[in-house]
Amino acid sequence: MKSFIKLGKLNIDKYMGFFFLAVLLLWLKTYAVQLTQFKLGVENSIQSFLLFLNPLASAILFMGLAMFRKGKKKYSSLLAIYFVLSFILYANVLYYRFFNDFITLPTLTQTQNFGDVSGSVLSLLKPYDILFFVDFILLAVLVSKRFNFIPVDTSRISRRKIAAVMLTALAIFSANLGMAEADRPQLLKRTFDRNYIVKYLGMYNYTIYDAIQSTKASAQRVMADSNDVTEVVNYTQSQFAEPNPDYFGAAKGKNVIYLHLESMQNFLIDYKLNGEEVTPFLNSLTRDSNTLYFDNFYHQTAQGKTADAEFMLENSLFGLPQGSAFSTKGLNTYQAAPAILGQNGYTSAVFHGNTKSFWNRDEIYKSFGFNKFFDSSYYDMSPENVSNYGLKDKPFFKESIPLLQSLPQPFYSKFIMLTNHYPFPIDEEEATIAPHTTGDKSVDTYFQTARYSDEALRQFFADLKASGLYENSIIVMYGDHYGISQNHNKAMEKVLGKEVTPLVSAELQEVPLFIHAPGLEGGVNHQYGGQIDLLPTLLHLLGIESDQFVQLGTDLLSKEHRELVAFRNGDFVSPEVVSIDEKYYDPKTGELLEETEEFDHLRKIVNQQLDLSDKVVNGDLLRFYTPENFTPVDRSNYNYNYEEPALKE
């Protein structure tokens, strides 16, 4: 074979021919993946063109780095870079199938969770996934010694060629960014939504952007000082909602039992499958005279999902836009519910049928001030009791009752359920309702695991009554996040019997919230609210003032509660307007509305909330502010090693 490849009248040396082939393959593959595997919301011809163009600059730039290597190493380096980029692309596809989101740098610190989610990962694999790496195999074969299809060129690439390649990449990227900014001004400053970055700049540029953002967030703690918290304290005190006198202290002195309803969405309430209620026990609570049921309550989680829900529940602060505060901010100073209640005479404990290190709980719970953490070491983890992420809900609750009885009263407790978790596996003999018939296995079995969890809750209530704890307890049940992501919208259209429009998709972020206590004045509450509002609501029910604490939520029962629910990506819902991707909808009719000053003002409030929360968490600002009559948590006082519980006879 000659030392060059002829393309028309152009003579291109062997390496450059191989280089351009690799660029072409990666460009087309990435475009095809971005087009078919992600729901990026392409709306016009400019966005369509940018989606096609944006992988090109990255492919040229990153693989161009191999040109700096000498001899044969430039081939191996190019192949290594090609494989890494392909792996990043495929890893994001898998992550997107599960979370409907993209990988961020902080999520890579959560590797201690990987072993527990292996079953879910396997369910995400598709037969055609081998195609993600066929092109890499082809390139490797072309330059392998055994086949020698393209004899290796050991000459050094001239500086002029390297400069030309790099300048070409930068020119394409500059044109890409210019067009993106024209279609969406301040793209890199204005949005919390990773979809926009991938849509306009591509997967690989998004990875670089994310790394920069994550590094900036990590540096905030070093740069923060006591002056930074003043703005936050002034804001939270100015937004404080006075408690409702009809409910303030209504549960004073009672035990607190939080039930974390894994993946429970509000559409399940009163939903009938083949004429049969899916969640009959939860349905009955909506009509219970001692239960407050909130039918416009939303999860506000981001990548941390369950951990984000816990974070908001305990702190009335938002989870992070990237990764999970549980994993990356475990050593921060907090003013969390366990510490606040602990200084009001409460013992605190978490019950969870999984390993204590999952989501870094054994570390961050110390910062929250939890006295006890009953993890999997306290339970019978025999194979017949375990499914998916840990202990099944029925044995979990059954074995938890004596542990709960061992706590000094009053106590603040949280039970984290697991059975109703993606991909919703359930043994046939434990399923008491038939699956749905959408043809989407995860969606179909979701109704069966939700029924199982509902039955476990009914039994837990009965056991609480038998134990004598029920009468002196307030029980709060909340959905932690969606169970069915937007990746299953076709199946959900069969479930709901209507098209899943952007507005319907926002409505599907509703999760149930029940507040139940003997003697509590119940009823259906239509207030709009989110998980950020739970802490001040609970404190006021217990008769504890909250105005000195840094809390971004407001009491759901207060007449001054602000009915504006912020989502982590900057979208929001309210009784008057729903904002999705910076478009405004009438929540009653679904009609698209024109932007007004009022809507723009609501968006600014949402962005201010998110920004202040991020400043608090990333800067660890609460170390600079201690409310009156509150003592910061001393982490050295907490140890979650297994201890034989002092069970009551």
Side-chain angles (χ1 to χ4, degrees):
M1 185 178 288
K2 296 182 179 180
S3 62
F4 54 82
I5 302 170
K6 290 186 177 180
L7 293 177
K9 295 182 179 180
L10 295 176
N11 291 334
I12 304 177
D13 65 61
K14 288 176 294 187
Y15 180 79
M16 294 305 294
F18 182 70
F19 171 81
F20 286 125
L21 175 62
V23 167
L24 179 64
L25 290 175
L26 185 67
W27 176 21
L28 296 180
K29 176 175 74 173
T30 305
Y31 169 66
V33 169
Q34 292 180 171
L35 184 65
T36 63
Q37 301 297 304
F38 307 134
K39 295 180 176 67
L40 298 176
V42 175
E43 298 175 337
N44 56 46
S45 58
I46 293 177
Q47 293 177 12
S48 295
F49 177 71
L50 288 174
L51 191 68
F52 173 70
L53 177 66
N54 59 45
L56 179 58
S58 302
I60 295 173
L61 180 63
F62 290 123
M63 288 194 290
L65 297 175
M67 293 183 178
F68 291 95
R69 302 300 301 275
K70 298 177 182 179
K72 298 179 181 179
K73 290 183 179 180
K74 58 181 177 284
Y75 287 91
S76 58
S77 296
L78 187 148
L79 286 174
I81 294 170
Y82 195 99
F83 179 80
V84 169
L85 295 175
S86 297
F87 180 80
I88 289 172
L89 187 66
Y90 181 59
N92 274 280
V93 168
L94 288 181
Y95 193 85
Y96 195 90
R97 288 173 185 170
F98 191 105
F99 294 108
N100 198 48
D101 200 352
F102 300 100
I103 295 173
T104 62
L105 190 60
T107 62
L108 300 179
T109 66
Q110 297 156 197
T111 54
Q112 73 272 23
N113 294 354
F114 289 175
D116 296 83
V117 303
S118 57
S120 298
V121 172
L122 290 175
S123 70
L124 300 174
L125 301 179
K126 307 291 184 184
Y128 59 78
D129 285 357
I130 186 64
L131 297 177
F132 284 91
F133 297 97
V134 166
D135 50 337
F136 170 77
I137 296 171
L138 171 64
L139 292 172
V141 168
L142 285 176
V143 296
S144 67
K145 289 183 179 180
R146 181 174 181 180
F147 297 100
N148 198 32
F149 287 117
I150 298 180
V152 172
D153 178 2
T154 59
S155 63
R156 188 168 186 170
I157 306 297
S158 69
R159 291 181 180 179
R160 182 177 296 179
K161 287 182 179 178
I162 295 174
V165 167
M166 294 302 177
L167 288 173
T168 299
L170 292 175
I172 295 172
F173 175 75
S174 298
N176 186 163
L177 182 60
M179 294 176 67
E181 285 283 348
D183 194 61
R184 181 180 172 81
Q186 296 182 306
L187 170 67
L188 300 179
K189 296 180 180 179
R190 223 165 47 139
T191 181
F192 292 99
D193 196 333
R194 284 172 282 277
N195 261 27
Y196 282 104
I197 305 299
V198 176
K199 176 170 67 175
Y200 283 105
L201 301 182
M203 174 56 62
Y204 310 117
N205 288 323
Y206 155 74
T207 302
I208 300 299
Y209 169 82
D210 167 66
I212 294 171
Q213 293 297 104
S214 299
T215 302
K216 285 171 60 179
S218 298
Q220 285 184 31
R221 189 183 192 281
V222 178
M223 304 299 293
D225 60 38
S226 57
N227 294 322
D228 296 324
V229 78
T230 303
E231 177 190 7
V232 181
V233 173
N234 290 341
Y235 176 83
T236 56
Q237 292 185 355
S238 69
Q239 299 298 311
F240 177 73
E242 291 288 341
N244 186 330
D246 294 335
Y247 283 98
F248 186 78
K252 187 176 180 62
K254 286 185 178 289
N255 302 314
V256 177
I257 300 174
Y258 260 117
L259 300 178
H260 180 106
L261 309 180
E262 174 61 49
S263 300
M264 195 73 71
Q265 291 177 246
N266 205 47
F267 79 85
L268 286 170
I269 303 301
D270 289 330
Y271 185 89
K272 290 186 177 181
L273 180 58
N274 299 322
E276 190 175 354
E277 289 181 310
V278 177
T279 55
F281 177 65
L282 291 179
N283 295 348
S284 70
L285 289 178
T286 66
R287 301 180 291 274
D288 186 282
S289 61
N290 297 138
T291 301
L292 282 164
Y293 166 59
F294 294 79
D295 61 355
N296 288 308
F297 184 76
Y298 292 81
H299 86 87
Q300 296 168 286
T301 66
Q303 288 190 320
K305 295 297 185 290
T306 292
D308 280 359
E310 284 194 73
F311 190 77
M312 284 183 276
L313 169 81
E314 307 296 1
N315 299 284
S316 192
L317 294 170
F318 288 96
L320 295 173
Q322 297 156 299
S324 163
F326 261 50
S327 296
T328 61
K329 306 297 179 183
L331 301 181
N332 274 17
T333 298
Y334 295 102
Q335 300 163 10
I340 296 171
L341 294 180
Q343 293 172 36
N344 282 271
Y346 278 74
T347 301
S348 55
V350 179
F351 300 77
H352 186 39
N354 199 341
T355 55
K356 62 185 177 182
S357 62
F358 195 83
W359 280 122
N360 196 41
R361 287 187 172 100
D362 56 339
E363 291 300 329
I364 200 166
Y365 282 170
K366 295 176 184 176
S367 299
F368 291 171
F370 273 109
N371 300 116
K372 300 279 188 179
F373 182 12
F374 298 107
D375 73 325
S376 57
S377 62
Y378 288 85
Y379 295 94
D380 177 8
M381 302 297 287
S382 301
E384 63 272 16
N385 289 342
V386 174
S387 176
N388 212 9
Y389 281 69
L391 195 63
K392 296 176 183 177
D393 292 344
K394 290 181 180 179
F396 169 59
F397 281 131
K398 180 181 178 181
E399 294 180 38
S400 294
I401 287 291
L403 297 174
L404 187 63
Q405 288 179 296
S406 73
L407 297 177
Q409 299 186 53
F411 53 71
Y412 172 79
S413 61
K414 177 171 61 179
F415 292 80
I416 303 173
M417 301 171 69
L418 286 172
T419 300
N420 191 42
H421 196 294
Y422 182 90
F424 314 110
I426 188 168
D427 295 332
E428 186 175 343
E429 61 271 17
E430 292 184 313
T432 58
I433 189 172
H436 214 298
T437 56
T438 69
D440 184 320
K441 184 178 179 181
S442 296
V443 174
D444 292 347
T445 56
Y446 175 68
F447 296 87
Q448 295 180 298
T449 54
R451 163 64 73 83
Y452 177 95
S453 294
D454 185 76
E455 293 170 346
L457 290 167
R458 180 189 294 276
Q459 185 59 50
F460 183 60
F461 267 65
D463 290 343
L464 281 175
K465 292 175 181 178
S467 72
L469 295 173
Y470 172 79
E471 289 297 328
N472 192 39
S473 297
I474 180 171
I475 304 169
V476 183
M477 294 173 281
Y478 75 104
D480 64 339
H481 55 75
Y482 62 75
I484 308 299
S485 75
Q486 295 179 17
N487 296 326
H488 303 271
N489 276 355
K490 288 185 178 180
M492 285 303 298
E493 288 178 348
K494 296 179 181 178
V495 169
L496 302 175
K498 60 183 178 181
E499 181 185 0
V500 179
T501 62
L503 183 61
V504 172
S505 184
E507 292 170 352
L508 285 172
Q509 307 316 305
E510 289 182 3
V511 292
L513 172 64
F514 300 89
I515 300 177
H516 173 88
L520 184 71
E521 183 181 349
V524 179
N525 189 300
H526 303 302
Q527 287 267 39
Y528 278 63
Q531 293 161 334
I532 201 81
D533 301 313
L534 281 174
L535 178 55
T537 304
L538 176 68
L539 291 179
H540 291 170
L541 283 167
L542 298 177
I544 299 173
E545 297 285 354
S546 67
D547 56 329
Q548 292 300 307
F549 296 104
V550 172
Q551 297 174 355
L552 289 171
T554 57
D555 183 351
L556 288 164
L557 298 169
S558 170
K559 296 175 182 178
E560 299 174 3
H561 169 69
R562 181 178 54 233
E563 292 190 272
L564 177 64
V565 184
F567 295 130
R568 185 61 264 194
N569 65 355
D571 291 345
F572 63 84
V573 298
S574 73
E576 294 80 27
V577 63
V578 175
S579 173
I580 305 166
D581 293 338
E582 298 190 357
K583 295 179 180 178
Y584 300 98
Y585 299 86
D586 186 310
K588 298 180 180 63
T589 67
E591 179 186 359
L592 194 63
L593 303 174
E594 293 294 327
E595 183 172 353
T596 65
E597 288 187 9
E598 180 185 357
F599 296 167
D600 188 55
H601 177 64
L602 292 176
R603 175 170 295 284
K604 288 178 180 177
I605 292 174
V606 166
N607 289 338
Q608 184 180 23
Q609 274 191 311
L610 295 169
D611 182 57
L612 290 176
S613 181
D614 289 345
K615 286 181 178 178
V616 171
V617 180
N618 287 323
D620 192 12
L621 296 186
L622 296 185
R623 61 190 158 130
F624 301 122
Y625 172 72
T626 303
E628 292 183 17
N629 303 317
F630 178 79
T631 303
V633 170
D634 182 353
R635 286 173 45 85
S636 66
N637 292 333
Y638 304 96
N639 183 349
Y640 301 134
N641 292 333
Y642 176 80
E643 295 178 3
E644 192 71 32
L647 303 181
K648 295 182 180 181
E649 296 183 2

